[in-house]
Amino acid sequence: MMRLHPILALFLFIPLSYAHAASDTPPPTMWYWHNWTDHNGVSHNTRCPLQNFDLKSMSKPAGPQWQNRLPSGQSQVIFTVQPAHWNGTWHPDPKVQWIIPLKGSWYVTAMDGTKAVMGPGDVSLGEDQASRKDAKGHVGHFAGNVGDGPVELMVIQTDETPTVDRPCRFR
C-alpha cells in the first residue's frame, strides 16, 4: 500500500475539507449602492444586496470560492485619483459604471437628497443617465471627496443599457 508523506497528505486534504465546509455554508450577501433613476427623471441611492452566488473554482486547481457573475460584455477599467477637496458638481454618469473606492472616502448625493458615503471596499453602481434637470437645475448626482486627502477609485464602465425604475437590478 502506498503511503503519502504527512505534509503532502495535509495539502491534499485542505482543499477538499474547505470545499466541504464552504458547501455547508449558505451563500454570502455583499452590498452595493445603486444610483438609479425613476420614471420622473429623479435619481435615487439605494443600498442593494448581491446574493446569487455559486461556489466554484475560478481556475482549477484553485479552491472553490463564492462567485456572482454579472452579465458579460464590453467594459473599460479606469483608475482615477481625485485631488483633495474634489467635487463633481451635478452630472449624470457617462455610462453604467461600477465604482470602487481604493483609498480615501467619497460621497454621492442623488437628486432625492439621499447621500451615500463610501470608503475602501464599498461598491457603487452609477446608472443615472435618464435623470432630467429639476427646478433647481440638478441632474444626475453630486459627488465629492470626504476629508482633506485625495481619493483613489477604480471605475469599470460597461456597455449595459441604462434602465429606469429598476433599483437593485443586479442581485
Side-chain angles (χ1 to χ4, degrees):
M1 182 164 124
M2 183 175 152
R3 292 184 48 114
L4 290 174
H5 187 279
I7 299 295
L8 179 58
L10 180 63
F11 280 107
L12 290 174
F13 175 73
I14 289 173
L16 295 174
S17 63
Y18 169 77
H20 177 70
S23 67
D24 293 342
T25 304
T29 299
M30 291 177 65
W31 295 89
Y32 69 98
W33 285 100
H34 187 187
N35 182 18
W36 59 280
T37 306
D38 67 22
H39 62 278
N40 292 318
V42 176
S43 65
H44 306 267
N45 279 320
T46 302
R47 191 156 153 79
C48 305
L50 279 174
Q51 299 173 311
N52 296 330
F53 286 88
D54 294 314
L55 184 63
K56 59 187 175 182
S57 175
M58 181 123 15
S59 177
K60 292 188 179 196
Q65 55 188 304
W66 292 105
Q67 299 176 42
N68 181 330
R69 292 187 178 253
L70 301 179
S72 62
Q74 293 286 331
S75 64
Q76 171 73 48
V77 176
I78 303 166
F79 290 94
T80 70
V81 179
Q82 298 170 337
H85 308 287
W86 178 87
N87 80 68
T89 197
W90 286 98
H91 66 283
D93 288 298
K95 292 183 171 243
V96 176
Q97 58 188 18
W98 293 96
I99 306 158
I100 304 105
L102 302 173
K103 184 177 178 185
S105 295
W106 74 303
Y107 66 88
V108 174
T109 302
M111 294 168 67
D112 70 357
T114 57
K115 182 177 185 177
V117 177
M118 293 163 272
D122 290 326
V123 177
S124 174
L125 175 62
E127 187 179 21
D128 59 0
Q129 293 81 8
S131 59
R132 296 188 297 269
K133 282 188 181 180
D134 64 12
K136 297 177 186 175
H138 299 164
V139 63
H141 63 278
F142 188 94
N145 292 0
V146 175
D148 293 325
V151 174
E152 298 175 3
L153 303 171
M154 181 171 72
V155 180
I156 304 166
Q157 293 184 334
T158 73
D159 65 353
E160 288 284 323
T161 301
T163 61
V164 173
D165 286 328
R166 292 206 40 214
C168 303
R169 74 170 170 138
F170 295 112
R171 296 289 178 154

